[in-house]
Amino acid sequence: MFKTVEWKGSAVVMIDQRLLPGEEVYRRYTGYKEVAGAIKEMVVRGAPAIGVAAAMGVALGASKIKAKDYQTFRKEFDKVADLLASTRPTAVNLFWAIERMKKVAAENRALPIPELKERLIKEAKEIHRDDIEINRTIGKHGGRLLKDRSTVLTHCNAGALATAGYGTALGVIRGAIEAGKKIKVFADETRPFLQGSRLTAWELKKDKIDVTLITDNMAGYMMKKGLIDAVVVGADRIAANGDVANKIGTYSVAVLAREHKIPFYVAAPLSTIDLKIGHGDEIPIEERDTSEVTHVKGNRIAPRGIKVRNPAFDVTPNSLVTGIITERGVVRRPYSKGLKGLFRKG
Ligand code: MRU
């Protein structure tokens, strides 16, 4: 089985997702600036995975700080954290993981610096380990929502490649299959970065899960034909009112699902829920390089000088969401109350 991101010795190792499905290449990073570059350049992507990578980047950066006292250490540490936080704006897991690392630094300020560095590495490893556990629990809760012999449509990649392992949306599919259900999957290609065709199709096929690839504009046709029973997607940030930011095109799928009376589920850990943001409109949406739209594998597919937009995410209003599947159970409308309640539990 492949490893999305891993702490190995004193380095962070990641599978280079830009090269999949053609090549399985692992990159080894020994500096936090390189880890930040890898997040920005999409070597690693997917909300929980970039959170884990950022935490490991912080630990890596901290381990190289030469300071002897906490104050000087903290100054350098904040520079490391700030750079990692500047890599991608939409997925809140990135900021959540960095904040968790900052908290550990502050709480352990009395430790000798070498021990503090060890403590930070331990925390990053814990974030990694917890994420896999959380996804398995999401898979158990979500798996119950899928009927035996059903076909699920997913968009983008919310799988093992987007997390420390197992996946959120794909975790739900894996959970249902592990519970003995027969599940088929339709994977949207997910233009322009092709996370669906390059990554979801790759990891499901590797797992011998029945997957059929379609281009994004085929989803409506498949739904109208009665070939889709449920939609399950991941999320990059969920606002306090249940609005969901996820990969561009998710909103269109949700609108189609409503028209065809198909349940539309979002699977995400609590670290994706941002109670500080009241409404989806306040979620920062990353706008990526236009070459992702005008070029495919270096080949131009649009006229030179054409005006291009490339928002990487969109927001699905809570009214289109049937349920949000978390590690603490499934939340349904009214989301404001339900999402808040999750943080009070256990
Ligand atoms: O731009 P990406 O590939 O990082 O976007 C990923 C997504 O939109 C995923 O659906 C989301 O992060 C959930 S991953 C469990």
Side-chain angles (χ1 to χ4, degrees):
M1 194 56 180
F2 61 89
K3 295 260 169 63
T4 304
V5 49
E6 203 184 357
W7 183 275
K8 241 184 173 171
S10 48
V12 181
V13 176
M14 300 185 226
I15 190 164
D16 191 338
Q17 301 196 27
R18 298 166 308 178
L19 304 180
L20 291 171
E23 290 172 74
E24 248 176 85
V25 175
Y26 286 86
R27 310 244 177 238
R28 190 171 175 273
Y29 299 100
T30 52
Y32 77 96
K33 288 185 183 161
E34 296 170 87
V35 174
I39 297 172
K40 224 181 160 86
E41 300 301 323
M42 312 277 277
V43 170
V44 62
R45 32 65 51 201
I50 64 175
V52 172
M56 289 185 176
V58 169
L60 200 57
S63 70
K64 304 271 166 72
I65 296 172
K66 294 213 164 66
K68 299 247 177 318
D69 62 284
Y70 181 76
Q71 233 179 0
T72 329
F73 174 87
R74 188 59 204 238
K75 250 196 199 146
E76 288 302 308
F77 178 86
D78 285 343
K79 268 192 220 157
V80 171
D82 287 351
L83 182 79
L84 283 151
S86 71
T87 50
R88 295 194 73 193
T90 305
V92 74
N93 309 62
L94 179 87
F95 308 102
W96 169 87
I98 293 171
E99 280 312 310
R100 187 160 148 180
M101 296 298 283
K102 280 185 172 172
K103 195 162 170 256
V104 166
E107 282 172 1
N108 294 281
R109 59 189 303 151
L111 284 181
I113 300 292
E115 281 174 43
L116 175 57
K117 290 176 178 175
E118 283 309 314
R119 180 65 191 84
L120 286 162
I121 294 171
K122 187 170 163 264
E123 190 70 13
K125 286 184 183 167
E126 243 168 66
I127 291 176
H128 180 267
R129 204 175 328 114
D130 288 356
D131 188 56
I132 303 175
E133 267 310 297
I134 286 168
N135 294 335
R136 288 195 172 274
T137 313
I138 289 176
K140 279 205 185 95
H141 291 311
R144 288 189 201 115
L145 300 171
L146 302 181
K147 295 198 179 81
D148 190 19
R149 299 185 183 278
S150 59
T151 301
V152 177
L153 175 76
T154 191
H155 189 73
C156 192
N157 173 266
L161 284 166
T163 58
Y166 203 72
T168 55
L170 299 193
V172 167
I173 289 162
R174 290 189 167 106
I177 293 172
E178 279 170 26
K181 296 177 186 172
K182 283 216 158 42
I183 305 289
K184 290 186 178 169
V185 182
F186 272 75
D188 273 349
E189 174 185 47
T190 319
R191 274 277 292 156
F193 210 72
L194 306 176
Q195 288 94 331
S197 61
R198 295 190 305 102
L199 309 175
T200 297
W202 180 78
E203 71 163 87
L204 291 183
K205 192 163 178 285
K206 225 176 160 60
D207 248 9
K208 299 194 170 44
I209 294 173
D210 186 328
V211 56
T212 303
L213 176 65
I214 57 170
T215 63
D216 302 326
N217 49 1
M218 294 174 190
Y221 175 85
M222 298 301 166
M223 288 184 186
K224 192 149 184 292
K225 286 274 178 195
L227 297 174
I228 311 285
D229 302 299
V231 177
V232 186
V233 297
D236 288 85
R237 196 186 295 227
I238 300 174
N241 70 345
D243 290 350
V244 175
N246 191 46
K247 181 51 55 197
I248 192 76
T250 302
Y251 170 55
S252 318
V253 176
V255 171
L256 282 170
R258 170 58 53 90
E259 172 66 19
H260 295 91
K261 302 187 173 46
I262 296 168
F264 179 92
Y265 294 110
V266 174
L270 262 63
S271 54
T272 304
I273 301 167
D274 187 355
L275 293 183
K276 292 199 290 298
I277 291 225
H279 191 277
D281 286 350
E282 298 161 40
I283 298 174
I285 300 294
E286 177 182 13
E287 187 92 24
R288 292 188 60 84
D289 199 280
T290 55
S291 64
E292 289 180 358
V293 176
T294 57
H295 289 71
V296 172
K297 283 205 170 279
N299 296 312
R300 176 174 284 283
I301 55 160
R304 232 170 257 286
I306 192 76
K307 285 201 281 181
V308 177
R309 287 288 312 273
N310 187 18
F313 302 94
D314 60 26
V315 175
T316 298
N318 58 30
S319 58
L320 297 178
V321 179
T322 311
I324 299 177
I325 308 159
T326 76
E327 66 271 36
R328 294 202 177 152
V330 181
V331 179
R332 294 180 192 264
R333 271 184 292 272
Y335 288 109
S336 305
K337 194 166 161 247
L339 292 176
K340 225 191 204 166
L342 286 177
F343 290 86
R344 278 198 292 265
K345 281 191 199 171

